[in-house]
Amino acid sequence: MAGQVFAYIVYKEGKADDTALELVKAAGKINPDASPTAIVTGSGSDLDAVCNEVTASYKEVWKFDNEALAYPNAEIIRQLLVKVLPADAVVLVAHDTFGMDLSPGLAIMLDSTFVPDVVDFEGLEGDTLKAVRQEFSGQVSTHVNCDLSNGAVINVRPGVFQADGAAGVGGQVIDKSSEIGELVLRRRYLETVEAEVGDVDITKEDVLVSVGRGIEDQDNIEIAEELAEAMGAVVSCSRPIVDAKWLEKSRQVGTSGQTVKPKVYMALGISGSFQHLGGLKGNPFIVAVNKNPKAPIFQVADVGIVEDLLEFAPVLTEKIAEGK
Amino acid sequence: MEILVCVKRVPDTAENEIEVAADGSDIERDDLVYSVNEWDNYAVEEAIQLVDKAGGSVTVVSVGDEEAEEVVRREMAMGANNGLLLSDDAFEGSDGKGTATILKAAVEKGNYDLILTGALADDGAGQVGGMLAAMLDLPFASVVNRIEVMDDKKLKIGREIEGGNQEMHEIDLPCVLSIQTGINEPRYVGIRGIRKVASVEIPVWGTSELGVAADSVGAAAARVKRLDYFVPDLGEGAEILEGSLEEVADKLIEMLKAKGGIK
Ligand SMILES: Cc1cc2nc3c(=O)[nH]c(=O)nc-3n(C[C@H](O)[C@H](O)[C@H](O)COP(=O)(O)OP(=O)(O)OC[C@H]3O[C@@H](n4cnc5c(N)ncnc54)[C@H](O)[C@@H]3O)c2cc1C
Ligand SMILES: Nc1ncnc2c1ncn2[C@@H]1O[C@H](COP(=O)(O)O)[C@@H](O)[C@H]1O
């Protein structure tokens, strides 16, 4: 049987991230009898607040308090975890930019198995865990067998294990700070530079016409702008459009861009990667225009149009204009 | 500065629809167009720009079959000075750890100040860079979108975190960084560039050249094993509108009006 299950808790300003509860749910899906232990690192009052908060959903909360941990620097936290975790630990971490930083190396240092970006678990048999992953930005899924005999570090995709809320388990905080020992600082955190504010604030818009790589060329951005104008909407986009410098960063929807809450979201030539959809909240009415009928966006959209957007969007623009 | 960049040959999702083969054992590979992994192209561009400023050389390395040579050559056409192909039947079926084990052996045969990978490849894992750093006992940073050389002992780097915010760090050299897209604008590679490197010899190293034990890599050593490919059935999905472009547009306009999508 696999070892003790742990969950690394991510938090901000003294408040645990949604993933703190999602990891409890994920642990339950691996093994219904597992009672995961929360690991919370940091320093001072924010740390204490989070430890107390998560006792509502974790029976045991390990607290590590140290000045060097004040900012969550994965390079330091990894060293700490290697010292304090049992050899066969199964460690759950949210698959965000912190988890991407921490986990692959952690698994190597623990000599355990790393399983990246899991979207579901389908049972544990002996030491073999069957998990579901996605490849090609969600175009296909795979089942993988993971060997947990030496423990594992498992990155769980945020948002897929919907939590029902804190369970009121009344757990206890165990202060493990004395076990921290010496930490080597080969990567030193300096500061966080906030993303630039642009000319429009897409987070406040009700209707967004969003373009992805399917727009194919910078000159075609106009097609989306004309449609947006006819609809009384604003243009947003996926990441490749910003990488290509066709639109400003402030127009990017997604985990590394803006979180938007429109009423209507029109996705033109966007495949529907989880990093993009991660920025779409509030259950909008989603219209997807994509020439690939198997694009993952059609699984989350309300209405789908399987067409070349370069042909369809101008027709739609014209028809809207006619009706006005 | 001596820089090694790890590049992977992957099916180009901008050019292909990825489909599951009938028996679910693989994706349909017959008509796939392959190219260099998007993220790796940014990593190579960054390496070239760093060397342009600070001197040194760029080596690109790929683990794969003989066809992976084409991506190594392409990145050399971009301006990388050296290429390396790590290829052996024993490497087939490696998981992320296996790939990192092979790359580690190649790193140890050179003398690199900086090792770059992409943040993510086609398998959506984002694991090889972090694993390689841990195996080499070097500091690591993921999703890097800015690199500034401070002196020959350290870099100042930015990590692009949630919300597009940038986390700045100072990191000791040598180190491993995984590169995020958007860090630069990768240069265009024309026919001329490709021709220039068409006949360059690219060394191929296998288990014996690398001194890698065959049983530490490949399918047998993998602790994460892919069982199948499938397309999940996620409930109803979208209502697909059918008809001519005009008919579809009319239907959609009615729906948009009802939802407040047309002001
Ligand atoms: C740490 C990290 C953070 C990230 N953050 C974000 C983020 O915040 N936001 C974001 O968007 N991405 C983000 N990404 C990138 C993400 O993984 C995807 O690469 C990206 O979302 C893909 O964008 P896309 O859908 O526009 O392009 P693609 O995935 O290339 O999809 C293009 C789509 O257009 C369709 N198409 C092509 N031509 C046409 C046509 N003529 N007409 C109609 N359809 C057409 C294709 O069928 C395809 O489905 C992040 C990645 C990482 C690793
Ligand atoms: N077969 C490979 N050969 C060379 N580099 C690789 C290979 N697989 C992965 N990488 C590197 O690791 C990065 C992340 O890939 P992955 O961990 O598979 O998501 C890629 O962008 C490459 O830089």
Side-chain angles (χ1 to χ4, degrees), chain B residues 84-111:
Chain B
L84 262 178
L85 177 61
L86 312 180
S87 194
D88 197 307
D89 289 346
F91 297 166
E92 237 170 85
S94 291
D95 62 2
K97 186 179 178 188
T99 303
T101 303
I102 299 160
L103 289 168
K104 169 186 184 253
V107 171
E108 286 176 337
K109 285 180 69 84
N111 192 7

Side-chain angles (χ1 to χ4, degrees), chain A residues 71 97 101 111 136 141 143 145 147 186-188 190-191 193 195 231 239 243 249 255 298 302 304, chain B residues 122 137 140 142 159-160 162-163 165-168 170 172 181 223 225 227 230 238-239 241 263:
Chain A
Y71 187 85
T97 59
D101 219 30
D111 190 21
F136 302 103
S141 296
H143 288 104
N145 267 350
D147 178 358
R186 295 189 298 184
R187 186 183 104 191
R188 297 160 292 274
L190 301 172
E191 58 169 341
V193 182
M231 290 170 67
R239 180 166 184 122
D243 288 340
K249 179 80 180 170
T255 55
F298 288 127
D302 296 282
Chain B
D122 54 339
D137 190 23
F140 170 67
S142 64
R159 297 184 61 236
E160 195 192 21
E162 278 66 28
N165 296 337
Q166 195 182 40
E167 202 185 79
M168 302 302 299
E170 196 179 88
D172 294 343
T181 56
R223 290 197 202 152
K225 291 195 169 75
L227 302 174
F230 67 102
E239 176 195 343
L241 302 185
K263 290 188 211 157

Side-chain angles (χ1 to χ4, degrees), chain B residues 125-143:
Chain B
Q127 60 189 348
V128 169
M131 287 180 165
L132 185 58
M135 287 177 180
L136 293 164
D137 190 23
L138 293 179
F140 170 67
S142 64
V143 287

Side-chain angles (χ1 to χ4, degrees), chain B residues 164-237:
Chain B
N165 296 337
Q166 195 182 40
E167 202 185 79
M168 302 302 299
H169 296 261
E170 196 179 88
I171 190 167
D172 294 343
L173 290 168
C175 66
V176 181
L177 305 177
S178 88
I179 302 299
Q180 177 61 304
T181 56
I183 184 173
N184 52 40
E185 290 177 75
R187 68 198 65 189
Y188 175 75
V189 180
I191 292 286
R192 281 259 269 351
I194 302 270
R195 262 198 222 121
K196 246 167 82 183
V197 296
S199 55
V200 175
E201 272 297 318
I202 294 174
V204 183
W205 294 348
T207 47
S208 54
E209 288 86 354
L210 288 167
V212 168
D215 61 0
S216 68
V217 295
R223 290 197 202 152
V224 178
K225 291 195 169 75
R226 189 192 292 115
L227 302 174
D228 60 3
Y229 285 92
F230 67 102
V231 176
D233 191 10
L234 286 184
E236 291 182 22

